[in-house]
Amino acid sequence: MKSTPAKAVKVRSASGDYVVLCQRGILERAEREIARLGRFSSIHILTSPKVWKALGKEIRRGMPEGFAKHVHQFDDAEEAKNLQTVEKISRALVRTGADRKALLVAVGGGVVGDVVGFAAASYLRGVQLVQVPTTLVAQVDSAVGGKTGVNLPEGKNLVGAFYPPRLVLVDPKALGTLPDREFRSGLAEVIKYGVIADPKLFAFLESGMDAILRRDARALEHVIRRSIEIKARVVGKDERESGLREILNFGHTFGHALESATRYRRFQHGEAVAWGMMCAGLLGHEVTGTPADAVSRIVTLVRRIGPLPEWPETSAKRLLQAMHADKKTREGKLRFVLAPRIGEAETFDDVPEKKVECILRCAPQFFARPLKALGKCDA
Ligand code: GLY
């Protein structure tokens, strides 16, 4: 199928604007796009063994001629997203002669992008970076916006930097080998963009979900590109998350509590966000008067991305405690992004905890049955 031409989505950043190029097959022309960035002393591709096995040949072919090229592979499991891996990467860079004019190319999912991004921010106090996200969640979310970082034993993403790349290359074709569960989990973030910013995207997802689940090239490219445009617009206005950027956390206050209560073992991030968006939809109904019909559409669409791991056997009180431990909490107040209607979102920090607790208590039964009418939470 003929794909549409690569459209550059510009991302504004205090450290220098950059573009995201999204097109099927763009990796074959990576060479041209990277060469446009200027001269580098060497190019270092940082990736995981799994990703390199699936895409290495193609990526090597697309890399500029005439540069010393090095491929460094490291474990991209969530458990390896730590300072030890940053040290390993940095030492490999020293051993292979990376100087201040070196370029790092992060090829992989969210963990690769975050860890390599942080290594790029700190190695020699900053070397240039190109992001090549190869999972859906990385393409539509983590590779855009400059957030980089690693986990500590005390919590996720506690050490990091805002470090925008020079370029992001998004090739929807790279998703061809992505396991179904990861793909569906990434779709949760796509739905999020529809809910928070774009009723048309939301409606497209409603009518096109079957095609998207079949990974129809045209439908997929459309929703990826639209998601990137929305993310670019939001982070361009609020790079450092002092206000507007928070809306990207729709579903995440609930989602992070579920992930943390299950020690990050039960849910993929998008799956926890999927549960979280249904809960946030309902909380929006309770707090901001989100129409029942809109909540019902959110829940119905989320359910279509597939079965989610079960809600944990954890008390509502414990989940509430996990929410309080989240780094989004400010001065002890929980913060929720709620959508008064589809396509609009804002942050609330004065939500009655009783209502949240009630939703946490009712969610597993509530969302497991057909939504005919929305009753009020008994709080
Ligand atoms: N993933 C949310 C953000 O980039 O701010």
Short mmCIF file of all heavy atoms in Angstrom, two decimals, residues 141-147 162 189 192-193 231 234-235 238-239 241 245-249 252 269, ligand 1:
data_model
loop_
_atom_site.label_atom_id
_atom_site.label_comp_id
_atom_site.label_asym_id
_atom_site.label_seq_id
_atom_site.Cartn_x
_atom_site.Cartn_y
_atom_site.Cartn_z
N ASP A 141 4.09 8.21 22.60
CA ASP A 141 4.22 8.88 23.89
C ASP A 141 5.67 9.14 24.29
O ASP A 141 6.18 10.25 24.18
CB ASP A 141 3.47 8.07 24.96
CG ASP A 141 3.42 8.77 26.30
OD1 ASP A 141 3.68 9.99 26.34
OD2 ASP A 141 3.14 8.12 27.31
N SER A 142 6.38 8.07 24.72
CA SER A 142 7.61 8.35 25.47
C SER A 142 8.75 8.93 24.65
O SER A 142 9.63 9.60 25.20
CB SER A 142 8.07 7.10 26.23
OG SER A 142 8.19 6.01 25.37
N ALA A 143 8.77 8.70 23.32
CA ALA A 143 9.91 9.22 22.54
C ALA A 143 9.74 10.71 22.22
O ALA A 143 10.67 11.35 21.74
CB ALA A 143 10.05 8.43 21.24
N VAL A 144 8.57 11.24 22.49
CA VAL A 144 8.30 12.65 22.17
C VAL A 144 8.14 13.43 23.48
O VAL A 144 7.38 13.00 24.35
CB VAL A 144 7.00 12.77 21.33
CG1 VAL A 144 6.73 14.23 20.97
CG2 VAL A 144 7.09 11.91 20.08
N GLY A 145 8.86 14.51 23.61
CA GLY A 145 8.63 15.35 24.80
C GLY A 145 9.82 15.47 25.71
O GLY A 145 9.81 16.25 26.65
N GLY A 146 10.87 14.68 25.46
CA GLY A 146 12.14 14.91 26.15
C GLY A 146 12.26 14.37 27.56
O GLY A 146 13.26 14.63 28.23
N LYS A 147 11.27 13.60 28.03
CA LYS A 147 11.44 13.03 29.38
C LYS A 147 12.38 11.83 29.28
O LYS A 147 12.15 10.94 28.46
CB LYS A 147 10.10 12.56 29.95
CG LYS A 147 9.27 13.66 30.55
CD LYS A 147 8.07 13.06 31.27
CE LYS A 147 7.18 14.15 31.84
NZ LYS A 147 5.93 13.61 32.42
N PHE A 162 15.07 16.38 31.55
CA PHE A 162 14.38 16.73 30.31
C PHE A 162 15.48 16.89 29.27
O PHE A 162 16.35 17.77 29.42
CB PHE A 162 13.61 18.05 30.47
CG PHE A 162 12.34 17.89 31.26
CD1 PHE A 162 12.29 18.21 32.60
CD2 PHE A 162 11.19 17.40 30.64
CE1 PHE A 162 11.11 18.06 33.33
CE2 PHE A 162 10.00 17.25 31.36
CZ PHE A 162 9.97 17.57 32.71
N GLU A 189 -2.86 4.36 25.23
CA GLU A 189 -2.34 5.74 25.20
C GLU A 189 -2.95 6.50 24.01
O GLU A 189 -3.16 7.70 24.09
CB GLU A 189 -0.81 5.75 25.12
CG GLU A 189 -0.11 5.11 26.31
CD GLU A 189 -0.04 5.98 27.57
OE1 GLU A 189 -0.47 7.15 27.52
OE2 GLU A 189 0.43 5.48 28.61
N LYS A 192 -6.25 7.64 24.99
CA LYS A 192 -6.06 8.78 25.91
C LYS A 192 -6.04 10.10 25.14
O LYS A 192 -6.69 11.07 25.54
CB LYS A 192 -4.75 8.59 26.68
CG LYS A 192 -4.37 9.74 27.57
CD LYS A 192 -2.95 9.59 28.09
CE LYS A 192 -1.93 10.10 27.08
NZ LYS A 192 -0.54 10.00 27.56
N TYR A 193 -5.31 10.14 24.02
CA TYR A 193 -5.24 11.40 23.26
C TYR A 193 -6.62 11.82 22.75
O TYR A 193 -6.94 13.00 22.72
CB TYR A 193 -4.27 11.28 22.08
CG TYR A 193 -2.82 11.19 22.52
CD1 TYR A 193 -2.09 10.03 22.32
CD2 TYR A 193 -2.20 12.27 23.13
CE1 TYR A 193 -0.77 9.94 22.72
CE2 TYR A 193 -0.88 12.19 23.55
CZ TYR A 193 -0.16 11.03 23.34
OH TYR A 193 1.13 10.95 23.75
N LYS A 231 0.55 15.21 21.20
CA LYS A 231 1.61 15.26 22.23
C LYS A 231 2.54 16.44 21.96
O LYS A 231 2.94 17.16 22.88
CB LYS A 231 2.39 13.95 22.25
CG LYS A 231 3.56 14.00 23.22
CD LYS A 231 3.56 12.96 24.26
CE LYS A 231 4.56 13.32 25.37
NZ LYS A 231 5.07 12.21 26.09
N VAL A 234 1.01 19.69 23.10
CA VAL A 234 0.95 19.84 24.57
C VAL A 234 2.34 20.12 25.14
O VAL A 234 2.54 21.08 25.89
CB VAL A 234 0.34 18.57 25.22
CG1 VAL A 234 0.48 18.60 26.73
CG2 VAL A 234 -1.12 18.42 24.81
N VAL A 235 3.34 19.32 24.76
CA VAL A 235 4.67 19.52 25.36
C VAL A 235 5.33 20.79 24.83
O VAL A 235 6.17 21.39 25.50
CB VAL A 235 5.62 18.29 25.19
CG1 VAL A 235 5.01 17.05 25.81
CG2 VAL A 235 5.98 18.05 23.74
N ASP A 238 4.10 23.33 27.26
CA ASP A 238 4.46 23.13 28.67
C ASP A 238 5.45 21.98 28.78
O ASP A 238 5.12 20.89 29.26
CB ASP A 238 3.19 22.82 29.49
CG ASP A 238 3.50 22.53 30.95
OD1 ASP A 238 4.54 23.01 31.44
OD2 ASP A 238 2.70 21.81 31.59
N GLU A 239 6.68 22.26 28.35
CA GLU A 239 7.69 21.21 28.31
C GLU A 239 7.97 20.61 29.68
O GLU A 239 8.15 19.40 29.84
CB GLU A 239 8.98 21.80 27.71
CG GLU A 239 10.05 20.78 27.45
CD GLU A 239 11.25 21.39 26.73
OE1 GLU A 239 11.46 22.62 26.85
OE2 GLU A 239 11.96 20.63 26.05
N GLU A 241 6.16 20.38 32.38
CA GLU A 241 5.00 19.90 33.13
C GLU A 241 4.65 20.79 34.32
O GLU A 241 4.54 20.32 35.45
CB GLU A 241 5.22 18.44 33.58
CG GLU A 241 3.92 17.76 33.96
CD GLU A 241 4.04 16.24 34.09
OE1 GLU A 241 4.80 15.63 33.32
OE2 GLU A 241 3.37 15.69 34.95
N ARG A 245 0.80 20.05 30.53
CA ARG A 245 1.32 18.71 30.21
C ARG A 245 0.71 17.63 31.11
O ARG A 245 0.67 16.46 30.74
CB ARG A 245 2.85 18.71 30.31
CG ARG A 245 3.47 17.40 29.83
CD ARG A 245 4.97 17.48 29.64
NE ARG A 245 5.49 16.19 29.21
CZ ARG A 245 6.66 16.01 28.63
NH1 ARG A 245 7.46 17.02 28.40
NH2 ARG A 245 7.07 14.78 28.28
N GLU A 246 0.26 18.07 32.28
CA GLU A 246 -0.35 17.09 33.20
C GLU A 246 -1.53 16.36 32.56
O GLU A 246 -1.85 15.24 32.96
CB GLU A 246 -0.84 17.80 34.47
CG GLU A 246 0.27 18.17 35.41
CD GLU A 246 -0.28 18.74 36.70
OE1 GLU A 246 -0.95 19.78 36.64
OE2 GLU A 246 -0.06 18.14 37.74
N ILE A 247 -2.18 16.97 31.57
CA ILE A 247 -3.36 16.29 31.00
C ILE A 247 -2.97 14.97 30.34
O ILE A 247 -3.79 14.09 30.15
CB ILE A 247 -4.18 17.16 30.01
CG1 ILE A 247 -3.39 17.49 28.75
CG2 ILE A 247 -4.73 18.40 30.69
CD1 ILE A 247 -4.26 18.10 27.63
N LEU A 248 -1.66 14.83 30.02
CA LEU A 248 -1.21 13.56 29.44
C LEU A 248 -1.29 12.44 30.46
O LEU A 248 -1.08 11.27 30.13
CB LEU A 248 0.23 13.70 28.92
CG LEU A 248 0.45 14.75 27.83
CD1 LEU A 248 1.93 14.89 27.53
CD2 LEU A 248 -0.31 14.37 26.56
N ASN A 249 -1.55 12.81 31.71
CA ASN A 249 -1.64 11.78 32.76
C ASN A 249 -3.07 11.30 32.97
O ASN A 249 -3.37 10.69 34.01
CB ASN A 249 -1.09 12.34 34.08
CG ASN A 249 0.41 12.57 33.99
OD1 ASN A 249 1.12 11.85 33.28
ND2 ASN A 249 0.90 13.57 34.71
N HIS A 252 -3.72 8.01 34.65
CA HIS A 252 -2.45 7.55 35.22
C HIS A 252 -2.45 7.53 36.75
O HIS A 252 -1.69 6.76 37.33
CB HIS A 252 -1.30 8.41 34.71
CG HIS A 252 -0.90 8.09 33.28
ND1 HIS A 252 -1.79 8.15 32.23
CD2 HIS A 252 0.28 7.68 32.73
CE1 HIS A 252 -1.17 7.81 31.11
NE2 HIS A 252 0.08 7.52 31.39
N HIS A 269 2.18 -1.09 31.28
CA HIS A 269 1.78 0.27 31.65
C HIS A 269 0.43 0.65 31.01
O HIS A 269 -0.49 1.13 31.69
CB HIS A 269 2.88 1.25 31.23
CG HIS A 269 2.54 2.67 31.48
ND1 HIS A 269 2.34 3.18 32.75
CD2 HIS A 269 2.31 3.70 30.62
CE1 HIS A 269 2.03 4.45 32.65
NE2 HIS A 269 2.00 4.80 31.38
N1 GLY B 1 3.94 10.44 29.31
C1 GLY B 1 3.55 11.68 29.79
C2 GLY B 1 4.46 12.80 29.43
O1 GLY B 1 5.30 12.66 28.57
O2 GLY B 1 4.36 13.86 30.01
#
